[in-house]
Amino acid sequence: DMLDNLAEKNAVYQVDEDWYFDITIDEKFGSLSHYGSKSMLELCQARGGDPQRPGKHNPLDCIVWQKERSGEPSWESSRGRGRPGWHIECGAIATKYLGTDFDIQGGGSDLVFPHHEMSASQARIANGEEFAKTYVHTAMVAYQGEKMSKSLGNLVFVSKLRASGVEPAVIRLALLNRHYRTDWGFSTADLDLAKR
């Protein structure tokens, strides 16, 4: 439905058999991240976008419907079998369950661009209303010099800290000892300081 709404507003176009969102339709595009074009292009490339794809109107335009690919999940739609892009999927789910006007969208700071910027832009154009009133993005936490992530296998679990005898209040204080938007690196020194 959201894709059809975008199509009615001439906000999508086809490249081969895939559909892309035209960011130039949204005069507020970039108002969430406040990044310049160069930063947006770098982040788009680094975070799964396809700015180099031939046929796109703008390198930052993102896919909203991808034609069915062998071995990948797909569903029937007004645009044929395929699957939604990540950004429109998020916007459509939020709109379905929260409505077209809700208070807070949150996540890690790595979601500001392109994910939240694109989701908000697509939903704003499709629905004619702002997506979320406020955005809350938490900082990235590093461990031993790298971003803590499941894919790297360098997660520090609260359950393991508790099993090793660290008190819950110490863990809470170590986590709350900085602003939620300030990147930081976790170490046992944080726990020692919190315990003292």
Side-chain angles (χ1 to χ4, degrees), residues 23-55:
I23 64 165
T24 64
I25 295 293
D26 183 9
E27 61 186 36
K28 292 184 177 181
F29 185 82
S31 63
L32 173 60
S33 67
H34 301 287
Y35 294 148
S37 296
K38 183 178 181 208
S39 293
M40 286 183 183
L41 276 171
E42 289 170 0
L43 289 169
C44 184
Q45 181 69 45
R47 295 179 177 165
D50 59 356
Q52 310 302 331
R53 184 170 183 183

Side-chain angles (χ1 to χ4, degrees), residues 13 16-17 35 92 128:
Y13 63 93
D16 301 321
E17 295 183 84
Y35 294 148

Side-chain angles (χ1 to χ4, degrees), residues 128-185:
E129 297 180 46
E130 285 300 317
F131 189 51
K133 292 178 184 152
T134 303
Y135 290 83
V136 180
H137 294 102
T138 60
M140 295 291 102
V141 180
Y143 181 62
Q144 299 176 333
E146 293 191 82
K147 180 179 102 170
M148 199 181 289
S149 72
K150 189 168 38 175
S151 62
L152 293 175
N154 64 349
L155 299 177
V156 176
F157 291 100
V158 170
S159 58
K160 289 190 178 177
L161 292 174
R162 287 289 298 122
S164 70
V166 180
E167 293 297 318
V170 170
I171 297 168
R172 285 188 197 103
L173 186 56
L175 294 173
L176 295 171
N177 196 27
R178 64 202 37 82
H179 194 276
Y180 75 97
R181 288 187 310 222
T182 303
D183 290 341
W184 61 288

Side-chain angles (χ1 to χ4, degrees), residues 41-151:
L41 276 171
E42 289 170 0
L43 289 169
C44 184
Q45 181 69 45
R47 295 179 177 165
D50 59 356
Q52 310 302 331
R53 184 170 183 183
K56 288 174 61 172
H57 296 177
N58 183 306
L60 292 174
D61 291 348
C62 65
I63 199 159
V64 289
W65 191 259
Q66 180 175 298
K67 182 185 185 291
E68 182 177 30
R69 309 282 202 270
S70 179
E72 294 183 2
S74 64
W75 295 267
E76 197 57 54
S77 81
S78 60
R79 302 290 183 268
R81 286 196 66 80
R83 63 185 172 96
W86 179 34
H87 314 307
I88 196 168
E89 181 179 41
C90 184
I93 291 169
T95 300
K96 178 178 179 177
Y97 292 103
L98 301 174
T100 57
D101 181 29
F102 56 93
D103 292 329
I104 300 172
Q105 169 93 20
S109 61
D110 57 339
L111 295 179
V112 173
F113 191 89
H115 186 54
H116 286 166
E117 188 80 65
M118 295 292 186
S119 295
S121 183
Q122 292 167 12
R124 183 169 39 246
I125 297 302
N127 301 321
E129 297 180 46
E130 285 300 317
F131 189 51
K133 292 178 184 152
T134 303
Y135 290 83
V136 180
H137 294 102
T138 60
M140 295 291 102
V141 180
Y143 181 62
Q144 299 176 333
E146 293 191 82
K147 180 179 102 170
M148 199 181 289
S149 72
K150 189 168 38 175
S151 62

